[in-house]
Amino acid sequence: MGTPPPKGNPELKNFLNVSRVITLLWLVIAGIVALVDVVLIIIGLLHLTFPTGDIFGLVYAVIWGLTDLLILGHFGHWNTLAEEGQLETLRQDLLLWVILGIIFGVIPGLLLALIYLRLGGPKGGFYFEHPASTAPPPPETSTPPLPNAPTGTPPPPPPPANP
């Protein structure tokens, strides 16, 4: 018995899985940035200075991490949509997370934007979808066409020469 063909588009599923791993790494980086900002705030307070920049950095790192965490939570749903072939629904679901991801997560947002654009972006049309061709195959010829052969109608014959 042979194995059944994979359901959905394998290229899309691989892209989603790679995006999930990179988003997880980006979440870890956001956590490290937040910890560094907390340490800098503590050091600033110990030196009796107000750490304004560090507080804004901490707030951004927390929002960045929460956005990445929410994006990670949606990957399961997006993989299910990709397996079921519901690419239009997947494209619609991605738009909000593309915008939030670019503003707060940058790299995960750009990866989601690539998926969104390959699904057709705002104009529609699916790059990941490979529909079967309904056109009949071209007829077999015994001689292959010549390379660089002109297409269309042949030029008219030259006029007869006068002797």
Side-chain angles (χ1 to χ4, degrees):
M1 279 188 155
T3 60
K7 197 173 182 186
N9 188 304
E11 181 185 7
L12 175 58
K13 290 192 289 187
N14 287 339
F15 208 108
L16 282 168
N17 289 333
V18 168
S19 297
R20 178 189 300 211
V21 170
I22 292 174
T23 301
L24 182 62
L25 292 173
W26 206 244
L27 175 64
V28 170
I29 292 171
I32 292 170
V33 169
L35 286 176
V36 168
D37 282 333
V38 166
V39 169
L40 290 175
I41 289 171
I42 292 171
I43 291 172
L45 291 175
L46 290 175
H47 286 141
L48 302 176
T49 60
F50 189 72
T52 306
D54 298 329
I55 290 174
F56 288 129
L58 177 63
V59 169
Y60 184 80
V62 167
I63 294 172
W64 165 15
L66 288 175
T67 303
D68 287 350
L69 195 60
L70 290 171
I71 288 173
L72 278 172
H74 281 83
F75 272 108
H77 174 64
W78 294 334
N79 277 328
T80 303
L81 290 175
E83 285 177 8
E84 293 174 354
Q86 298 179 9
L87 301 181
E88 178 64 26
T89 306
L90 174 61
R91 185 179 66 85
Q92 291 173 355
D93 285 354
L94 281 175
L95 182 58
L96 171 68
W97 297 106
V98 166
I99 295 168
L100 289 175
I102 288 175
I103 293 172
F104 296 112
V106 183
I107 301 297
L110 291 175
L111 291 172
L112 293 177
L114 285 174
I115 294 171
Y116 179 77
L117 290 174
R118 292 201 53 195
L119 286 171
K123 294 183 180 179
F126 303 108
Y127 182 77
F128 281 115
E129 194 172 55
H130 302 288
S133 175
T134 57
E140 293 292 325
T141 59
S142 59
T143 58
L146 297 173
N148 298 329
T151 58
T153 60
N162 287 338

